[in-house]
Amino acid sequence: MPLQPSRTVDELRELQELTGDENGAQRVAWTDTWERAREWLRGKLAGLPLDEQIDQAGNQWFTLPGSSERELLIGGHIDSVPNGGWLDGCLNVMGGAEVLRRLAEEGAPDVTVRLVNWADEEGARFGRSLFGSSAASGSMTDRDELRQLVDREGVRLPDALAEHGVDLDRATEARSQLDNAAAYLELHIEQGPVLEGLDLPLGAVLGTFGVERHRITWTGQAAHAGSTPMDRRRDALAGAAKLALEIRSIAARVGDGAVCTSGGVVCKPGIVTSVVETAEQLLDQRHLDADKLAEMLSQAQAAAARFAQEENVEVAWDRIWGIEPILFHPELVDMCDAAVEDVAGASHRLPSGPLHDAAEVSRAGIPTVMLFVQSLRGLSHTRLEDTKPEHIELSVEALDRLTDQAIAWVAAGRP
Ligand SMILES: [Zn+2]
């Protein structure tokens, strides 16, 4: 049977019906609903010549053996956030399932093709994202911290995993799954407004942003709001406020998609009758270019030092978290761009703001690319998340075309 992209739309609606409610998708990883979704996927692929396997990290693999042991992987995640949308993660899986069906129909492909449904991409229950893909990529180095994680009901992560057949101590053995992997493809909704703004259905993803996250503590002096003249104040909030506005100019100056967010400021004593003594500010900076990301950080630090002097307060920086930009494979990006242009008439190359399983696979040294499909109003992680059905169909067609090209690329001994 030829590719039937409309079947993907139908199946996604079916999955939404099966595992969602009036508030949205409820396929949180390591829950019964998530397990039901995995069983449903198994049923959807039954009858095809595929080997199914759940690895030590809970990732679900469907393998279509080819003439070569080298593998092309297509990935996604069927887990969702609570009250999530109907497309995030599962579009990737169901689009990949449709491509597998089409390939299986045509007999053994030139290379082995595997669909992977990564476990717990979202980290919605325990706060740790990319569980299954980080176990497979070898970047899961926080097992001691993982052992301590508890959900809101007080259930420990290792116990929740055990209920689904996963032993945390053996999760990183999933690494062997990537032994023969030659390339990795992932389709995803954009989750942002760029493609919609350009009136384009699809785009090729260049990589995922590098991130610098800092806690900035401004320290002044609490003082009475009535008795302290304006020129005698040491107002910690004034420094934070100046920086919150300055990061806009920094992003504009650095450009090329730079984004900076001052995501929160907590003031103490936090009462109406006192000048703010301490302001704890959270700053998130992202860029696809490592040098430009470093430049954004140093500009913000220089500006903060200046504002501290102007306001007669102190400022201290604490790095909370960071990750390098992850660039996808240039030949695969070109291939993806061409597939999009063939199917949709025009393409656009764009970075990804959110991290994805693809970033983990790419970090493991496997040539990777992602394909984005337009998100309406740029919304995601809400039941309002949506994409036009005709765009979903185009995305499956583009993934199908990209898959054929990637198979030929791997079969030819690339990369
Ligand atoms: Zn996702």
Side-chain angles (χ1 to χ4, degrees):
M1 233 187 303
L3 191 79
Q4 284 185 57
S6 63
R7 175 158 53 187
T8 305
V9 177
D10 295 342
E11 286 179 336
L12 288 166
R13 292 206 167 112
E14 195 184 318
L15 181 65
Q16 177 188 26
E17 195 65 31
L18 183 76
T19 56
D21 59 23
E22 67 282 5
N23 298 313
Q26 306 297 347
R27 294 182 304 278
V28 175
W30 322 113
T31 64
D32 291 346
T33 309
W34 174 67
E35 199 63 74
R36 199 176 316 138
R38 296 205 300 176
E39 269 167 42
W40 174 85
L41 175 61
R42 182 174 299 135
K44 286 289 162 197
L45 292 170
L48 295 175
L50 305 174
D51 298 320
E52 192 206 341
Q53 188 190 353
I54 306 260
D55 70 22
Q56 293 91 337
N59 303 310
Q60 186 179 26
W61 296 84
F62 297 91
T63 302
L64 175 65
S67 327
S68 155
E69 280 189 351
R70 299 192 80 208
E71 295 166 359
L72 172 68
L73 310 183
I74 305 173
H77 61 94
I78 217 162
D79 72 301
S80 74
V81 295
N83 306 327
W86 71 297
L87 300 167
D88 180 4
C90 52
L91 164 63
N92 341 359
V93 176
M94 299 321 294
E98 185 57 30
V99 173
L100 261 194
R101 284 189 190 109
R102 195 270 299 165
L103 286 170
E105 197 73 28
E106 295 173 1
D110 290 340
V111 303
T112 296
V113 181
R114 306 180 77 196
L115 175 67
V116 52
N117 169 22
W118 298 111
D120 202 359
E121 190 271 350
E122 299 286 3
R125 185 168 164 196
F126 293 97
R128 166 59 155 83
S129 304
L130 308 173
F131 178 92
S133 53
S134 67
S137 75
S139 76
M140 184 186 276
T141 52
D142 55 348
R143 257 194 296 174
D144 291 337
E145 289 146 56
L146 287 172
R147 213 166 279 127
Q148 309 302 324
L149 294 177
V150 286
D151 72 4
R152 270 193 285 173
E153 264 76 59
V155 178
R156 294 167 57 246
L157 172 77
D159 297 336
L161 299 190
E163 276 180 44
H164 298 272
V166 172
D167 175 354
L168 178 59
D169 290 324
R170 296 189 53 196
T172 53
E173 290 173 31
R175 189 151 194 193
S176 64
Q177 295 293 339
L178 299 185
D179 283 352
N180 294 324
Y184 176 82
L185 312 177
E186 185 173 326
L187 163 65
H188 208 287
I189 52 168
E190 183 200 335
Q191 302 177 289
V194 174
L195 291 173
E196 188 182 34
L198 294 167
D199 200 19
L200 291 174
L202 306 170
V205 185
L206 293 161
T208 57
F209 276 155
V211 182
E212 282 287 353
R213 268 183 209 160
H214 291 81
R215 181 184 300 109
I216 304 156
T217 306
W218 301 85
T219 309
Q221 175 62 56
H224 196 285
S227 62
T228 317
M230 296 309 285
D231 62 353
R232 298 291 299 278
R233 298 180 177 214
R234 299 181 58 222
D235 183 352
L237 179 58
K242 285 185 170 177
L243 185 62
L245 296 178
E246 178 65 16
I247 58 172
R248 299 176 177 187
S249 320
I250 293 173
R253 277 199 299 273
V254 172
D256 280 340
V259 286
C260 307
T261 307
S262 173
V265 180
V266 176
C267 295
K268 284 179 187 154
I271 54 173
V272 74
T273 52
S274 174
V275 172
V276 172
E277 180 157 289
T278 63
E280 238 184 47
Q281 180 170 33
L282 298 172
L283 179 66
D284 177 293
Q285 298 181 295
R286 304 188 189 213
H287 207 289
L288 192 61
D289 181 297
D291 292 340
K292 290 193 169 166
L293 181 60
E295 174 62 24
M296 280 162 75
L297 176 60
S298 76
Q299 287 196 22
Q301 285 170 330
R306 197 167 70 240
F307 300 146
Q309 203 164 34
E310 288 169 10
E311 300 300 328
N312 195 21
V313 297
E314 270 136 47
V315 66
W317 288 68
D318 248 331
R319 190 167 194 251
I320 304 171
W321 185 75
I323 188 167
E324 295 277 292
I326 293 164
L327 297 175
F328 293 150
H329 196 281
E331 286 179 53
L332 288 178
V333 173
D334 286 347
M335 210 180 282
C336 181
D337 203 43
V340 166
E341 221 169 293
D342 278 352
V343 165
S347 181
H348 178 68
R349 296 172 184 232
L350 71 169
S352 170
L355 277 172
H356 292 286
D357 293 308
E360 285 290 351
V361 180
S362 184
R363 272 168 104 177
I366 293 156
T368 293
V369 72
M370 291 185 78
L371 169 67
F372 271 173
V373 60
Q374 186 191 109
S375 286
L376 292 172
R377 295 157 293 158
L379 295 176
S380 187
H381 285 193
T382 153
R383 70 186 163 82
L384 300 176
E385 170 187 291
D386 207 4
T387 294
K388 290 178 189 154
E390 59 268 34
H391 289 173
I392 295 177
E393 293 187 26
L394 279 178
S395 75
V396 178
E397 274 178 54
L399 178 67
D400 187 63
R401 201 165 288 230
L402 174 60
T403 300
D404 272 346
Q405 277 151 17
I407 288 173
W409 190 66
V410 173
R414 304 304 316 274

